[in-house]
Amino acid sequence: MNEFIERHRDSVIGSLSGFDRVRFRGTLRWLCYADGLGRWLSTMKVLLKDFGSLTQRVTAGIRAAAEELAAAAGRPIRYLASPAQSKEDCARAIAAEDGIREGLICVLTAVEPCQSFRIARDAARRQLVLRGALRKCLHYYFYWMHPTWGFCHARLQTWLPMTVQVCINGREWLARQMDAAGLKYVRRENAFVWLEDVPAAQRLMDEQLKLDWAAALNRLLPQFHPTCRQWIGQTAEVGYYWSIQESEWASDVMFRDAPTLAALYPHLIRHATTHLGSRDVLRFLGRRVPAHGGVNANFAGEVVSDLRQRPEGLRIKHRVNANSIKMYDKQGSVLRIETTLNDPRDLRVYRRKEGDRSGPRGWRVLRRGVADTHRRAQVCQAANERYLQSLAAAETPTPLGELTADLCQPVRWKKQRVRALNPLAPADAALLEAIGRGEFLVNGFRNRDLRQRLYGSASDPTVARRQSGAVTRALRMLRAHGLIRKVPKTHRYLLSDKGQRCVTALLAARAADTAKLTQAA
């Protein structure tokens, strides 16, 4: 990420990283499965034949409380019959019309699918049983101008198990933070195109990760679900468990003006579509890939990349199962890299086993729970940085002849003559293609990595030594021309800034047809 910004430092104001949209889910863990609900009914002394009447009372209480909250605040309740109608647009229109700056904006209702329960008859045992089922029920959407989070909303399911969702936006929150700190900014929709003090804004955004999410969400709960304690009791042990159902972590690179990004963006799109393969996407999203090429044999998912025109701009998206990373230009002058994490099970966090506070720490599965929010932010930021690091190698409008003129001339390095590079020769072209692979941009490459890419596996030790020597001479030539640099105290090499520019340009030129090259000339 820093390398991309350094390369375009004359055109960039700065970068800002943090949560964009985050959707929290509150569940009553002991009530969201059939056996747990059955035990709760037993403590309530409710028979299964009376389950229907109980749920009707619960739903009626939830609806009455929601209507009382709206009436007390003097805000409207509207029913949306069509799922195609945007609830956010409706709420924003009401806020603009009524001039709502803080507090409840409105309450919207809609019938939507939900995970609930039904009573069934077990013919073998000749008795009623409780089973989970996908059903439809009325949901309440509460929209606020929150004093801390800005525009946000909560979704309340009126049927058991009374699942709730809270959706906030990190950029909305940051705007409130900067207002309180007296920092000036220019905001267009959900992006900041100019910041008076970029480091100060980043520090404020970093402070968002320090919030006690469970406590904050529990404080918000009575504002839209005041009857929850009436049914689930008063002790904290039986309260809502808060998890992150979906999170978007965005890194915004703010350019000084829109024309600069408009000229650069097509090159970034071309680089992302032609040079980033499945292995690169897997690495971006934290999946391990073998050094010999391909993907792990136990990977059973799919990697998909697609390019689409969105209202906010041209967007390229790379997806690994339920998680994705995408790039698009926002508001003309903001380059956004955004990692969306829906399923964290592929990722790891260094922690103790859940429920064992005195046990040893180890690398365990990243949980959805808010306890792992900080680690979630770390892995998403790392994914964005890997992606931006790869974009640092994107081709530039510099003429190819000017960019590579000195490569075709012999040079002297450490008092010895080193031959010129011939990018059109098959051997040198294969070498450039090997060092320009996406998996080498982050961790670099070794002699054995290049030997594997150029020659494959050699079973004869003599042949392997001969190939190793050839790669050593090739590495010396690349270092002499300034295309690669050695990582200190290791046997690894990385592409230099010059190498990233030249290799990308030469590979693109080899792939282009003569008609396009003639037209470009």
Side-chain angles (χ1 to χ4, degrees):
M1 180 173 178
N2 291 334
E3 190 168 341
F4 178 88
I5 295 175
E6 177 63 23
R7 181 178 178 186
H8 302 284
R9 60 183 178 274
D10 295 334
S11 306
V12 170
I13 299 173
S15 65
L16 182 70
S17 296
F19 278 123
D20 187 31
R21 187 171 63 95
V22 186
R23 181 152 51 96
F24 297 94
R25 185 170 187 249
T27 55
L28 299 169
R29 301 176 83 178
W30 49 274
L31 197 63
C32 61
Y33 62 103
D35 290 343
L37 179 59
R39 287 192 289 269
W40 178 70
L41 293 176
S42 297
T43 61
M44 298 286 290
K45 302 186 184 304
V46 175
L47 300 177
L48 288 184
K49 66 183 182 68
D50 299 324
F51 177 72
S53 60
L54 171 68
T55 56
Q56 290 176 2
R57 293 199 303 273
V58 172
T59 300
I62 292 174
R63 296 182 62 175
E67 293 171 2
E68 288 177 6
L69 287 173
R75 303 312 304 152
I77 298 180
R78 295 186 183 179
Y79 173 72
L80 302 183
S82 173
Q85 187 173 359
S86 171
K87 300 177 182 64
E88 180 177 337
D89 291 346
C90 181
R92 289 190 181 275
I94 294 174
E97 181 181 347
D98 296 346
I100 303 298
R101 299 295 181 184
E102 190 169 316
L104 185 66
I105 298 173
C106 63
V107 179
L108 305 179
T109 64
V111 176
E112 297 175 344
C114 69
Q115 191 66 40
S116 188
F117 304 94
R118 66 181 179 89
I119 299 296
R121 182 176 295 276
D122 189 330
R125 293 187 293 175
R126 296 184 179 181
Q127 64 182 22
L128 298 176
V129 293
L130 190 65
R131 291 177 180 170
L134 183 63
R135 308 185 68 180
K136 285 187 176 182
C137 77
L138 189 71
H139 290 75
Y140 281 88
Y141 285 80
F142 297 80
Y143 281 87
W144 293 282
M145 284 294 184
H146 194 275
T148 301
W149 297 333
F151 185 85
C152 64
H153 78 267
R155 176 181 185 261
L156 172 61
Q157 178 179 319
T158 59
W159 285 10
L160 290 173
M162 300 181 289
T163 302
V164 300
Q165 293 181 8
V166 176
C167 188
I168 70 170
N169 190 289
R171 265 56 179 180
E172 287 272 352
W173 185 0
L174 178 61
R176 296 288 177 120
Q177 290 175 293
M178 290 194 292
D179 289 339
L183 295 177
K184 297 179 181 179
Y185 58 89
V186 176
R187 178 185 174 193
R188 296 177 190 158
E189 294 185 357
N190 194 33
F192 297 97
V193 298
W194 177 81
L195 295 171
E196 178 186 23
D197 190 337
V198 177
Q202 184 62 65
R203 287 193 295 270
L204 290 175
M205 204 150 208
D206 293 340
E207 289 180 4
Q208 296 179 2
L209 297 175
K210 301 177 182 178
L211 181 68
D212 185 343
W213 288 104
L217 294 168
N218 282 329
R219 287 194 298 269
L220 183 68
L221 191 63
Q223 299 182 36
F224 66 94
H225 190 15
T227 63
C228 61
R229 290 299 179 187
Q230 175 183 343
W231 299 105
I232 66 176
Q234 300 296 324
T235 59
E237 287 75 14
V238 295
Y240 275 90
Y241 173 79
W242 294 101
S243 59
I244 299 180
Q245 192 168 15
E246 180 184 12
S247 67
E248 297 173 348
W249 182 272
S251 296
D252 292 347
V253 180
M254 296 167 286
F255 283 76
R256 298 188 184 278
D257 53 67
T260 301
L261 179 57
L264 175 65
Y265 194 61
H267 300 281
L268 301 181
I269 287 290
R270 188 179 302 112
H271 177 82
T273 54
T274 59
H275 291 86
L276 301 182
S278 298
R279 284 170 50 83
D280 304 310
V281 176
L282 288 170
R283 286 186 62 87
F284 294 152
L285 292 173
R287 300 294 294 263
R288 291 187 177 182
V289 294
H292 56 73
V295 299
N296 286 326
N298 60 354
F299 177 68
E302 62 175 356
V303 181
V304 178
S305 296
D306 67 89
L307 185 67
R308 292 188 181 182
Q309 183 69 46
R310 296 294 189 187
E312 59 268 22
L314 187 62
R315 183 272 286 157
I316 184 168
K317 180 178 181 180
H318 314 276
R319 178 173 57 84
V320 178
N321 296 333
N323 302 325
S324 65
I325 185 167
K326 57 187 176 182
M327 173 181 70
Y328 51 98
D329 52 336
K330 289 184 69 70
Q331 303 303 322
S333 61
V334 176
L335 177 68
R336 172 165 291 185
I337 310 298
E338 184 175 277
T339 296
T340 300
L341 201 59
N342 296 320
D343 186 358
R345 288 177 296 179
D346 292 336
L347 305 171
R348 295 293 182 267
V349 58
Y350 193 69
R351 61 175 175 85
R352 292 185 175 90
K353 186 177 180 181
E354 188 170 359
D356 186 4
R357 297 184 178 181
S358 59
R361 294 179 182 271
W363 287 104
R364 308 184 190 280
V365 173
L366 182 66
R367 299 167 292 188
R368 290 182 181 267
V370 294
D372 288 346
T373 301
H374 195 272
R375 175 59 179 169
R376 175 185 287 256
Q378 286 180 334
V379 297
C380 290
Q381 177 64 20
N384 289 355
E385 290 179 354
R386 294 187 193 104
Y387 198 91
L388 273 171
Q389 176 76 11
S390 73
L391 294 181
E395 61 182 272
T396 64
T398 307
L400 182 62
E402 177 184 337
L403 191 64
T404 61
D406 59 336
L407 299 182
C408 300
Q409 299 294 329
V411 296
R412 297 196 67 82
W413 188 65
K414 294 186 177 180
K415 300 181 180 181
Q416 293 185 3
R417 185 180 183 276
V418 178
R419 74 171 178 86
L421 192 70
N422 185 0
L424 298 180
D428 286 355
L431 177 63
L432 293 174
E433 184 177 357
I435 65 174
R437 293 184 61 85
E439 63 264 30
F440 295 153
L441 294 178
V442 178
N443 291 333
F445 52 86
R446 299 162 296 182
N447 184 303
R448 71 181 73 171
D449 299 325
L450 285 187
R451 191 168 72 249
Q452 179 72 30
R453 298 301 312 174
L454 296 174
Y455 305 109
S457 300
S459 56
D460 188 345
T462 303
V463 174
R465 284 195 299 270
R466 188 182 305 118
Q467 293 173 350
S468 178
V471 171
T472 298
R473 292 188 292 275
L475 290 173
R476 181 176 181 275
M477 177 187 64
L478 294 172
R479 292 183 70 185
H481 284 284
L483 297 180
I484 64 173
R485 58 183 176 85
K486 192 173 186 296
V487 180
K489 300 181 180 180
T490 70
H491 295 288
R492 292 184 176 273
Y493 299 86
L494 283 168
L495 278 177
S496 63
D497 293 344
K498 175 184 177 181
Q500 290 176 349
R501 294 192 297 271
C502 294
V503 169
T504 303
L506 290 169
L507 294 179
R510 283 180 57 84
D513 58 63
T514 55
K516 292 183 178 179
L517 288 176
T518 303
Q519 182 180 2

